[in-house]
Each structure stands twice: as C-alpha cells, then as structure tokens.
Amino acid sequence: MDRDRILVIDDCRINVLLLKHILSRLDIRVDCAGTGEDGLNMALKTCYPLIFVDIMLPGLDGLEVCRRLRASGQEPRPRLILLTAMGEQFSPSKVGE
C-alpha cells in the first residue's frame, strides 16, 4: 500500500482540481477517475489507503462503487469518503444499504 497516494472518483473537474491542490500541498499523490466504472477498476488494481467518492457519478454511482469495493474483499480495506453537492436532497439512509 502506498500511503502517500490516494484516489479521487469525481466527474466534476473543479472538485478534482481543488482536492489535488490541497492534497499536493501535503505531498500526497492523487490519482483521478471521472466515472464510477473507471474508479472501481483503478481501486481494485491499486491498494489505496483513502478514496474520495462522489455520490452522483455517470454510470455506476458512488454508493454502488463503495458497495462493490467492500464486497471485493480487498485487504487492507481503503477508507472511503463520500462527496456530494446535493445538500438536503441526499438521503443518508441510502449509505447503509
């Protein structure tokens, strides 16, 4: 596991650039994916300690990406941080499904 390398799965270019800027100042390398499918494939090939996942992604949504990562049995399991710009429209009950 490369502890200085994380994955950002987000289709919003501004969010990706912002996270890359902040994390690069901490000497953390950032890999990026713009779709759920691409992000899931990258996460299964590389053991990231931390993955930022946008909930609303084209194709495979962020919640499904998280479910599939957990079901993969990958060890060590990455920490997942969900990102959203939905505000009050988001239903936290969906995360536990």
Side-chain angles (χ1 to χ4, degrees):
M1 177 184 297
D2 189 347
R3 297 201 179 274
D4 296 330
R5 187 173 173 193
I6 65 151
L7 176 62
V8 175
I9 307 171
D10 198 327
D11 61 327
C12 178
R13 181 171 157 75
I14 293 171
N15 292 346
V16 171
L17 290 173
L18 180 62
L19 282 168
K20 284 180 83 168
H21 174 74
I22 292 167
L23 295 167
S24 68
R25 295 181 66 97
L26 300 170
D27 293 325
I28 296 172
R29 291 182 294 155
V30 179
D31 293 339
C32 303
T35 68
E37 291 86 359
D38 289 344
L40 180 62
N41 288 332
M42 290 174 72
L44 293 174
K45 290 178 184 172
T46 302
C47 190
Y48 295 97
L50 178 65
I51 303 173
F52 288 91
V53 184
D54 182 17
I55 292 173
M56 299 294 291
L57 290 165
L60 196 63
D61 71 32
L63 295 175
E64 186 60 26
V65 169
C66 292
R67 285 186 196 102
R68 292 186 187 188
L69 280 172
R70 291 295 184 224
S72 74
Q74 184 182 47
E75 290 293 335
R77 291 172 58 168
R79 301 285 187 211
L80 302 171
I81 296 178
L82 293 173
L83 304 173
T84 184
M86 292 189 298
E88 293 180 23
Q89 295 176 6
F90 174 66
S91 172
S93 63
K94 290 184 77 176
V95 175
E97 294 177 357

